[in-house]
Amino acid sequence: MNILETENLQARHGLLEAVRGVSFALAKGETLALVGANGAGKSTLLRTLAGAHPVAGGHIRLNSDDVTALPSHKRVSRGIALVPEGRRMFASMTVAENLKLGTMAGRKGDWSIEKILEIFPNLKKRINSKTGHLSGGEQQATAIGRALMSNPDILLLDEVSLGLSPLIVDRVYASLGGLITSGTTVVLVEQDLARAMSVADRVICMLEGRVVLEGRAKDLTREQVTEAYFGLR
Ligand code: ATP
């Protein structure tokens, strides 16, 4: 069964049509990478899925229920969690306090602070540090951990690599690998095509708000995705 479906989804910034009729379906446990050039509409699509940006048309279905009209907090309660671009941490709160915020949605599940520390062991010694004092990689781990603490069925990750050194990006992705194999459905926006194709089951390439290429990562070549990325197909 599909856990997430969009049908002709549209979103705007004022007059600008940032997402122009996007339809896709995602099965439980799949990892979908959204790729595309700057301004293609990836972040707007992700934020629209999370309810952080208004829907201008079309539908979003979660476990076959239409959630298009639900505000973001109700979507979190239904199992969609967003890790926004730029991490948006509460800098004066500790890692533990930030992680506990994730439980406010009241969803039951297996995630606990102990389990978060298993996938992000570098946070152990920082658990009582204020997040404003952490490195970029530690902040990213905290942001992902906070989202996981809401026990999501679907985790939406917006450019987790942004502003991190290549070494730290490797660590964050190594940790995500464990998460992905644990069966969580993941939708991620990733600028790095090679990384996106290596981590994802499915790839959607966007151009000017539209889906220009969609397929299983193992069936697509780098050339096909690169051509779609630059609008050459
Ligand atoms: P990037 O990788 O640069 O974040 P993206 O594919 O995620 O790109 P979006 O950020 O969704 O693309 O932007 C889609 C379009 O909407 C772009 O033309 C962008 O300039 C515009 N846009 C995004 N945010 C806003 C905003 N807050 N106000 C007005 N226009 C916006």
Side-chain angles (χ1 to χ4, degrees):
M1 191 180 89
N2 291 327
I3 189 166
L4 179 70
E5 288 169 359
T6 69
E7 185 190 324
N8 196 25
L9 192 64
Q10 294 154 49
R12 296 199 177 97
H13 293 285
L15 292 177
L16 183 105
E17 295 177 51
V19 175
R20 305 179 186 208
V22 168
S23 302
F24 68 86
L26 197 58
K28 187 169 165 31
E30 273 190 317
T31 297
L32 170 70
L34 295 176
V35 301
N38 284 340
K42 309 176 298 291
S43 292
T44 306
L45 172 58
L46 212 63
R47 289 170 48 75
T48 306
L49 293 174
H53 189 89
V55 174
H59 293 276
I60 302 169
R61 281 185 280 272
L62 181 65
N63 288 316
S64 304
D65 290 338
D66 195 316
V67 297
T68 317
L70 289 186
S72 59
H73 67 276
K74 292 216 170 133
R75 289 198 212 174
V76 179
S77 319
R78 296 283 196 103
I80 298 184
L82 171 69
V83 179
E85 191 179 326
R87 305 186 271 274
R88 315 257 168 92
M89 304 304 302
F90 292 97
S92 62
M93 290 170 68
T94 66
V95 171
E97 287 165 343
N98 265 288
L99 291 178
K100 280 182 198 145
L101 277 183
T103 62
M104 284 173 63
R107 281 176 64 83
K108 300 222 180 324
D110 291 342
W111 287 102
S112 60
I113 291 190
E114 292 69 34
K115 209 172 148 193
I116 302 292
L117 295 179
E118 273 172 35
I119 51 166
F120 296 117
N122 57 330
L123 285 184
K124 271 187 202 149
K125 59 182 187 310
R126 306 298 247 150
I127 192 78
N128 293 314
S129 304
K130 291 198 166 44
T131 47
H133 299 157
L134 303 184
S135 71
E138 290 164 345
Q139 286 191 15
Q140 191 59 273
T142 307
I144 296 170
R146 186 178 60 184
L148 289 173
M149 289 290 280
S150 72
N151 288 301
D153 294 330
I154 303 178
L155 185 64
L156 308 175
L157 298 167
D158 199 353
E159 299 208 30
V160 285
S161 324
L162 210 69
L164 303 182
S165 71
L167 184 72
I168 302 296
V169 174
D170 284 346
R171 281 201 205 138
V172 169
Y173 267 96
S175 311
L176 282 179
L179 175 68
I180 287 165
T181 49
S182 78
T184 306
T185 308
V186 177
V187 182
L188 55 94
V189 170
E190 176 55 66
Q191 288 283 353
D192 181 336
L193 273 190
R195 200 179 281 280
M197 291 179 74
S198 68
V199 76
D201 301 304
R202 298 242 315 276
V203 176
I204 282 182
C205 183
M206 291 180 73
L207 181 73
E208 295 174 353
R210 293 195 172 86
V211 174
V212 286
L213 181 72
E214 178 181 4
R216 302 200 67 79
K218 63 178 172 45
D219 298 334
L220 295 171
T221 63
R222 269 293 284 286
E223 290 67 31
Q224 282 175 309
V225 182
T226 308
E227 283 180 10
Y229 190 102
F230 290 111
L232 302 173
R233 296 167 55 85

